Amino acid sequence: MELLIVTGMSGSGKSAVTDALEDLGFFCADNMPPKLIPTIAQFISSSPDANKKVATITDIRVGEHNLKKFPEAFEELRRNNVDFKILYVDADDDVLIRRYKETRRKHPLLERCDGSLTASIARERELTLGIRTIADYTIDTSKSSVAECRQRVAELFLEDPVSSLKIRCMSFGFKFGIPGDADLVFDVRCLPNPFYIPSMKYRTGLEEDVSNYVMNHEQSQEVLKRLQSLIDYSVPLYRAEGKSQLVIAIGCTGGRHRSVTFAEQIKNHLSSQGYSVSIKHRDIEK
């Protein structure tokens, strides 16, 4: 049985994640108290006709007291030899505040935090911090559309999520913020910038002559060589630790030229070694 425990911040997009999981064949049980998860897992694993791909969605709606039962539920699952993974869905605080104001929905902790949405989000983040730390997968929806969120879920779970490490290479612009779900962040702002070449200013690193301009410098070749060496050393260590998702983020100033070129180079390098790699150019259209 594949058991995926989905949790995260209210307003972060767990509904979109749930819809995407259902499209991939998962049976999804929403608003599930943690103490009931082992019971559900035992029932499904012993039933010959039950769907063996199961996702339970649990968040602050079950109450603070119930949410604190997660560690006990995890221990019981381990005692019962249930193989499970944890997916944490997150978004920046300012994004969560904007979404609540746009939808006019009420945060589950609003009354307990004297009507303060900011305090409610801070309290929820405090309560779920421990779970986020041990999560096997993290999806940050701060700068993602619903379609992009569904695509990310498909990348992670279209195949067996426990079979291998899923690597995502991401380019971004530092001026737009560091990706919240990045595991490794590399800065290539030290390299020659095509932005200052008039014919390349408004183009991207996906175009061959722009990419060639970036890489036809000795310092770019040396930086790439050293990054690949570090990544080649680190990835097996992440696999040995049982990590299921690795996000490698490459940043330049605007996220259109140098970071795009390097993300593509690293993606191709990892793909040539047989790793499951996807790529995202977060800020390429900005």
Side-chain angles (χ1 to χ4, degrees):
M1 180 183 69
E2 293 181 31
L3 175 60
L4 181 65
I5 299 172
V6 181
T7 187
M9 296 294 293
S10 301
S12 61
K14 293 187 297 298
S15 296
V17 169
T18 302
D19 291 344
L21 288 170
E22 287 182 339
D23 289 345
L24 295 178
F26 278 81
F27 169 77
C28 296
D30 193 15
N31 207 13
M32 180 67 61
K35 65 180 180 180
L36 293 183
I37 295 176
T39 303
I40 292 292
Q42 185 176 16
F43 171 78
I44 292 176
S45 62
S46 62
S47 175
D49 299 324
N51 188 341
K52 301 303 183 182
K53 297 173 65 174
V54 179
T56 62
I57 297 86
T58 305
D59 55 30
I60 195 60
R61 290 174 296 168
V62 301
E64 290 190 32
H65 175 75
N66 286 321
L67 197 66
K68 292 176 181 178
K69 298 293 183 180
F70 256 132
E72 297 177 19
F74 297 155
E75 286 302 315
E76 186 172 349
L77 288 169
R78 294 187 184 101
R79 286 196 303 269
N80 294 338
N81 296 316
V82 176
D83 192 5
F84 66 95
K85 297 289 182 181
I86 304 169
L87 167 61
Y88 190 95
V89 188
D90 200 1
D92 295 339
D93 288 0
D94 58 334
V95 174
L96 296 176
I97 291 172
R98 187 187 72 242
R99 289 175 182 173
Y100 267 102
K101 288 183 177 180
E102 288 175 350
T103 62
R104 300 182 183 276
R105 294 188 62 193
K106 179 181 176 182
H107 192 282
L109 294 178
L110 197 64
E111 292 182 359
R112 301 197 62 175
C113 294
D114 297 324
S116 170
L117 179 57
T118 301
S120 301
I121 292 173
R123 177 58 178 163
E124 183 180 14
R125 195 169 292 284
E126 178 185 349
L127 290 168
T128 61
L129 178 61
I131 306 171
R132 192 189 197 284
T133 302
I134 65 172
D136 300 282
Y137 309 97
T138 302
I139 295 178
D140 189 309
T141 67
S142 301
K143 295 178 173 65
S144 299
S145 65
V146 172
E148 290 172 332
C149 180
R150 293 173 67 90
Q151 179 184 1
R152 184 62 178 141
V153 172
E155 290 173 356
L156 290 173
F157 304 110
L158 188 58
E159 299 175 349
D160 181 2
V162 302
S163 62
S164 62
L165 175 67
K166 302 291 194 304
I167 302 176
R168 176 177 243 203
C169 293
M170 178 186 296
S171 68
F172 72 96
F174 276 96
K175 67 190 294 184
F176 303 112
I178 298 174
D181 53 351
D183 298 293
L184 297 173
V185 178
F186 299 113
D187 183 353
V188 295
R189 288 177 293 182
C190 58
L191 301 177
N193 191 355
F195 179 83
Y196 296 108
I197 307 299
S199 63
M200 299 182 184
K201 183 173 183 177
Y202 297 109
R203 297 164 65 193
T204 77
L206 293 178
E207 298 176 67
E208 185 175 0
D209 56 338
V210 177
S211 176
N212 288 341
Y213 174 86
V214 174
M215 298 311 304
N216 285 341
H217 290 84
E218 183 178 352
Q219 56 265 52
S220 297
Q221 292 287 341
E222 186 64 25
V223 168
L224 178 62
K225 177 182 175 181
R226 291 172 183 260
L227 289 185
Q228 289 175 340
S229 178
L230 175 60
I231 291 169
D232 288 346
Y233 180 78
S234 302
V235 169
L237 300 181
Y238 283 109
R239 294 186 69 180
E241 285 295 315
K243 191 170 180 63
S244 302
Q245 170 190 262
L246 181 66
V247 179
I248 302 173
I250 315 293
C252 63
T253 304
R256 289 176 56 87
H257 301 103
R258 295 165 292 179
S259 61
V260 171
T261 298
F262 267 71
E264 290 285 339
Q265 291 280 343
I266 291 171
K267 184 258 186 185
N268 293 336
H269 175 72
L270 290 168
S271 296
S272 70
Q273 299 180 47
Y275 289 109
S276 175
V277 190
S278 61
I279 194 161
K280 166 74 174 178
H281 299 302
R282 194 192 72 179
D283 301 323
I284 197 169
E285 299 297 333
K286 295 180 180 178

